[in-house]
């Protein structure tokens, strides 16, 4: 860099530190007089008898001439008059290959309290989605090692998929299977609003040692402030973007985007936004596309994303589920009725769809998948008649064929949680299923 360029950069450096003072605290909302700052800026609140400790907080709004902040951690020791120091920039995390195999908190620090290695690259957590004209079309399949997905709901590199389910239907188990079995270069897993008890269980049982070796896990537990839970989603996405820009095929899994929406609702209500459908504030419906559109393809690499969506009372049309389904490139519905029968993974094939599958699979593969769907649909529609003995064989050729193949279809769609089935084997088995 030329000397003149260095001098011009030095001239642009702001050498002033800007401070304000806490005026009041209501709930988790901190109101201060000053400092000069912008929405999303990181601030430090100096607390303690000698102002030795700093609490990180983010500017989330303004009220008259006062600045509204929300803390990333607890707000103990904050008192009227505490100094508020503005940094003039949004929060950044440090990213690099040294993070692979590690478990992080939403601020990018190691969850076990260790120190990060030197040489990591600082990146902002909040970034713009790629230019739509610079997104290459999805043209390649990606193997996830789950037979029902690879064969009937084929996913492409850079596709974004929602996993819709109520509680206790097997979302975490399915995510663990995908993380262990996929052919992605790196997994980034965001556990947002997760129960503290289940974090270690997921890492050790569902993800396993083999899955963790190529994964980075970001954890924001349910007891943490709303801003930390929200930042967990943005941090996981920013890590994925970094590795995508290095040319990797990244697999991002976020559990769950519903809890991200709930965290934003808490923040929106605290700053005075009006509640709308089911109490969700307008900012929830504006932040979801900003977050979800950041993944996908760009000219350097891909992020294939799986977002779990919790549906209250198994209602697939509740506001968040409906909004997310409209943004993503496909959705997998986990059915409680299937789970109750011991059918795992409990994916309801007839209610699920991959919007890019027809563009990336062979004609033979597509026809076989359509045949399975058709036969399964015919059987399900006639199931009540079949079970009570009201259907007589020979009345319908279609139903007779569906009855013949139904046990084979169910056997094909089932898979053990520790079982990895190559994509080529899944597709060949599907095609051969109807040749018998």
């Amino acid at each position: 860099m030329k000397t003149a360029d260095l001098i011009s950069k030095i001239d642009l450096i702001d050498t002033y530190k800007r401070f304000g003072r806490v005026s009041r605290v209501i709930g988790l909302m901190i109101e201060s007089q000053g400092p000069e700052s912008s929405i999303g800026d990181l601030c430090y609140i100096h607390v303690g008898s000698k102002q030795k400790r700093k609490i990180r907080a983010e500017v989330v709004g303004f009220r008259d001439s006062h600045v509204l902040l929300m803390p990333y951690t607890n707000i103990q020791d904050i008192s009227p008059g505490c100094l508020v120091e503005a940094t003039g920039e949004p929060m950044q995390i440090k990213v690099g290959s040294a993070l692979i195999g590690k478990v992080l908190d939403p601020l990018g620090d190691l969850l076990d309290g260790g120190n990060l290695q030197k040489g990591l690259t600082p990146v902002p957590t909040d970034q713009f989605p790629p230019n739509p004209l610079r997104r290459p079309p999805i043209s390649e399949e990606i193997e996830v090692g789950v037979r029902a997905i690879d064969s009937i709901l084929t996913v492409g590199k850079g596709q974004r998929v929602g996993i819709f389910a109520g509680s206790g239907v097997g979302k975490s188990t399915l995510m663990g299977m995908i993380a262990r079995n996929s052919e992605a270069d790196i997994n980034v897993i965001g556990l947002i609003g997760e129960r503290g008890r289940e974090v270690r269980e997921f890492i050790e049982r569902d993800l396993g040692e083999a899955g963790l070796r190529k994964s980075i896990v970001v954890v924001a537990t349910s007891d943490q402030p709303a801003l930390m839970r929200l930042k967990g989603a943005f941090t996981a996405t920013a890590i994925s973007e970094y590795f995508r820009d290095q040319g990797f095929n990244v697999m991002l899994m976020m559990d769950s985007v519903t809890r991200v929406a709930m965290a934003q609702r808490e923040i929106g209500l605290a700053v005075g936004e009006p509640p709308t459908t089911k109490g969700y504030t307008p900012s929830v419906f504006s932040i979801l596309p900003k977050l979800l559109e950041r993944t996908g393809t760009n000219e350097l690499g891909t992020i294939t994303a799986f977002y779990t969506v919790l549906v209250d009372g198994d209602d697939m049309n509740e506001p968040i589920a409906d909004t997310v389904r409209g943004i993503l490139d496909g959705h997998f519905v986990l059915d409680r009725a299937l789970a109750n029968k011991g059918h795992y993974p409990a994916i309801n094939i007839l209610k699920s769809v991959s919007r890019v599958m027809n563009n990336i699979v062979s004609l033979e593969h597509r026809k076989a998948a359509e045949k399975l769907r058709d036969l399964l649909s015919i059987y399900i529609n006639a199931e009540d008649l079949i079970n009570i003995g009201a259907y007589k064989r020979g009345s319908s050729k279609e139903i007779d064929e569906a009855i013949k193949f139904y046990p084979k279809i169910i056997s094909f769609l089932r898979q053990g949680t520790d079982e990895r089935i190559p994509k080529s084997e899944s597709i060949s088995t599907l095609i051969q299923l109807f040749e018998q």
Side-chain angles (χ1 to χ4, degrees), residues 42 56-58 70-74 91 107 225 227-228 231:
L42 174 68
R56 285 183 278 196
E58 184 176 304
M70 288 197 82
Y72 290 118
T73 53
N74 62 61
M91 190 186 79
L107 304 181
L227 193 60
M228 277 287 268
K231 280 298 170 187

Side-chain angles (χ1 to χ4, degrees), residues 89-102:
E89 58 184 22
M91 190 186 79
Q92 293 188 334
I93 56 168
K94 294 182 178 180
V95 188
S97 58
L99 294 184
I100 298 173
K102 305 295 185 183

Side-chain angles (χ1 to χ4, degrees), residues 40-61:
D41 279 0
L42 174 68
C43 292
Y44 292 108
I45 302 172
H46 296 256
V47 298
S49 57
K50 296 184 179 179
Q51 307 283 293
K52 288 183 177 179
R53 191 164 70 88
K54 295 180 180 180
I55 293 176
R56 285 183 278 196
E58 184 176 304
V59 179
V60 295

Side-chain angles (χ1 to χ4, degrees), residues 371-372 375-376 379 398-412 432-436:
K371 177 77 170 177
L372 184 145
L375 290 175
L376 187 58
Y379 184 90
E398 290 82 4
I399 296 177
D400 287 345
E401 189 181 17
I403 293 171
K404 173 187 173 183
F405 284 106
Y406 181 72
K408 296 177 182 178
I409 290 172
I410 295 303
S411 177
F412 174 79
Q432 292 167 12
L433 192 68
F434 304 112
E435 294 177 353
Q436 300 170 8

Side-chain angles (χ1 to χ4, degrees), residues 12-21 33-37 41-46 51-52 54 83-89:
L12 294 173
I13 294 174
D14 187 356
T15 57
Y16 289 95
K17 281 192 174 182
R18 291 170 172 78
F19 292 92
R21 288 196 179 273
Q33 294 178 337
E36 182 183 336
S37 54
D41 279 0
L42 174 68
C43 292
Y44 292 108
I45 302 172
H46 296 256
Q51 307 283 293
K52 288 183 177 179
K54 295 180 180 180
L83 280 177
V84 180
E85 177 187 349
T87 64
E89 58 184 22

